[in-house]
Amino acid sequence: MRPVRLGLAGTGFIGRIHWMCYRALPAMYAEVPARVMFDTIYTSHPNEADRFEFSRALPYESVSSTCAQIDMLDVCTPNASHHPLVEAAVAVHVPVYCEKPVDLSGELTLELARKADNTGVLNQTALVYRFLPAMAAARAIVRAGVIGNVVTWRAVLLHASYLNTQRAMTWRLSRKESGGGALVDLGLHMVDAVRMVAGEFEAVRCVTRTVVGERPRMGAPDGMSRVDVDDWALVTADLVNGSTGTIEVSRVHAGREGTFAFEVFGTKGSVTVDLQRGRAVVMDAASRDVTQDVVLDDPWVTYLKTAFPSSKMSMGLMCDMHAASIYTFLDGCTGGDVRFAARPTLAEAGWTHRVVDACYQSADTGNRVDVQRPQVS
């Protein structure tokens, strides 16, 4: 088994999720594509090398001078700091795996993608809903014409924790540092899922709202800071295929923490991603469940039968999606064939972010905004 020297940048919440997945890979899978060596942790806390069992801890600013000494870089820092870290890895031809959003806009992300693609550097982003087997099955069902022509669709992802008015101000609540609020944090996932399953976006209309406009300053509870990102967003979008649907995302829905819905309706039936049962449910035009009658021959669906953890070895849905994504990237790092159209590269992340950029433009202006999208070859 080939060893891969891991460099991990950032040990916040999502960085620890990634670390958990790397540690668990040998237990979760019968065979893993690489033996992960915990080489370098890039952090502002030197003692974290011992805590996370890395050989060394280095400051973030050393990435450009030390990146060539590792075999892959996993970027989990705050959004605004992704760009120089990804750029440093690309410059020395080190495979790079980056949390979403890759950068603060679609255009900036696409610039990084072009640099990576021009040098042939393996790259991937953590748009992890693409690794959900039920989502992959829904994609294959729609593409096979099982539900006919797509008419409409709906994507919903709701959380509640930002309704707490005492939650302190952080970089996530500053548009300059995060690139946006619920629409970036959650909406990127849902926009990306729609792109993968239902089709490319033609135009969007968007409404956003900031529910909690001020928050206590970190370390100074008597001082307040203004929040300039959205807590909630509703998007109505037209796709190139002529369908129209909606996306709703929220970080302030009390009693709806973790609520998820994804469904596509066509002229011959519908497909729904059922997280509880872990499958894509297909209904025909007479509203009969015909899921068992659908036979799928799709390379992405087949690959995920290996890449996605089995139910017996699950660490929970979120960790499982991240583990499948990391497994796929490691497979590519060690020579595996991961040239799937559904794999979320930097370029795919850029085009998804283009849609989010158009949503913010619509919310700011009140107008319907056309979406720049990749050209079909």
Side-chain angles (χ1 to χ4, degrees):
M1 188 187 306
R2 177 180 160 184
V4 171
R5 294 169 297 175
L6 168 66
L8 177 65
T11 55
F13 170 75
I14 202 63
R16 295 195 297 273
I17 292 292
H18 286 211
W19 178 83
M20 287 170 56
C21 291
Y22 287 115
R23 296 294 297 181
L25 288 176
M28 298 176 80
Y29 298 94
E31 295 184 9
V32 292
R35 180 163 59 94
V36 178
M37 310 294 289
F38 291 81
D39 188 283
T40 306
I41 191 163
Y42 294 100
T43 175
S44 55
H45 305 286
N47 63 334
E48 290 188 336
D50 290 336
R51 178 184 176 187
F52 295 105
E53 300 180 350
F54 277 79
S55 297
R56 60 180 179 173
L58 296 176
Y60 294 116
E61 55 268 25
S62 70
V63 170
S64 59
S65 61
T66 63
C67 199
Q69 300 167 19
I70 58 177
D71 297 315
M72 65 164 285
L73 178 66
D74 185 335
V75 178
C76 297
T77 55
N79 300 351
S81 63
H82 288 177
H83 188 110
L85 300 176
V86 173
E87 198 167 48
V90 170
V92 292
H93 299 258
V94 169
V96 60
Y97 183 82
C98 186
E99 258 301 329
K100 57 80 192 169
V102 174
D103 214 320
L104 299 183
S105 73
E107 181 53 41
L108 290 172
T109 300
L110 288 171
E111 286 179 11
L112 282 175
R114 285 188 284 268
K115 291 178 181 178
D117 292 342
N118 287 341
T119 57
V121 173
L122 180 71
N123 59 84
Q124 189 172 304
T125 59
L127 288 165
V128 295
Y129 279 86
R130 292 194 178 212
F131 294 86
L132 189 64
M135 195 72 77
R139 174 182 181 270
I141 287 162
V142 170
R143 287 172 178 261
V146 174
I147 66 169
N149 296 326
V150 177
V151 177
T152 188
W153 42 271
R154 182 172 73 104
V156 177
L157 187 56
L158 309 177
H159 289 278
S161 61
Y162 280 70
L163 199 58
N164 176 9
T165 59
Q166 295 308 302
R167 183 167 183 154
M169 185 72 182
T170 69
W171 64 266
R172 291 185 181 277
L173 296 163
S174 164
R175 192 160 181 173
K176 181 179 179 181
E177 296 177 80
S178 65
L183 197 52
V184 164
D185 188 17
L186 308 175
L188 270 172
H189 282 305
M190 294 297 94
V191 167
D192 195 64
V194 171
R195 284 190 62 233
M196 187 180 88
V197 174
E200 295 291 352
F201 285 69
E202 178 78 30
V204 296
R205 307 167 193 83
C206 179
V207 178
T208 63
R209 185 175 178 188
T210 302
V211 176
V212 181
E214 287 188 332
R215 292 192 179 271
R217 292 176 189 165
M218 187 73 73
D222 293 335
M224 302 295 287
S225 295
R226 187 176 72 88
V227 174
D228 64 354
V229 300
D230 48 296
D231 290 321
W232 169 87
L234 178 66
V235 179
T236 302
D238 303 320
L239 302 189
V240 174
N241 60 23
S243 68
T244 299
T246 61
I247 297 171
E248 183 180 14
V249 291
S250 174
R251 300 195 293 202
V252 290
H253 265 55
R256 292 293 182 268
E257 179 64 38
T259 295
F260 169 90
F262 191 93
E263 46 197 349
V264 183
F265 300 90
T267 54
K268 296 181 181 179
S270 67
V271 59
T272 300
V273 174
D274 185 341
L275 290 187
Q276 297 300 317
R277 290 185 285 176
R279 64 173 186 158
V281 178
V282 183
M283 308 295 285
D284 67 12
S287 296
R288 296 174 298 208
D289 189 335
V290 295
T291 306
Q292 299 302 319
D293 300 330
V294 177
V295 178
L296 298 177
D297 181 17
D298 179 87
W300 186 237
V301 171
T302 300
Y303 182 80
L304 290 181
K305 290 178 180 178
T306 299
F308 198 84
S310 71
S311 58
K312 291 183 178 180
M313 299 307 298
S314 172
M315 292 200 304
L317 184 62
M318 185 175 73
C319 282
D320 289 351
M321 289 191 291
H322 278 280
S325 180
I326 286 169
Y327 176 103
T328 303
F329 185 71
L330 288 171
D331 193 4
C333 285
T334 54
D337 186 0
V338 293
R339 292 172 294 179
F340 300 101
R343 188 175 67 85
T345 60
L346 294 179
E348 280 296 292
W351 291 115
T352 291
H353 206 144
R354 280 282 199 185
V355 179
V356 172
D357 291 341
C359 290
Y360 277 127
Q361 184 180 347
S362 174
D364 291 342
T365 64
N367 299 325
R368 179 180 185 269
V369 175
D370 291 338
V371 174
Q372 185 178 8
R373 57 187 183 277
Q375 298 299 312
V376 179
S377 56

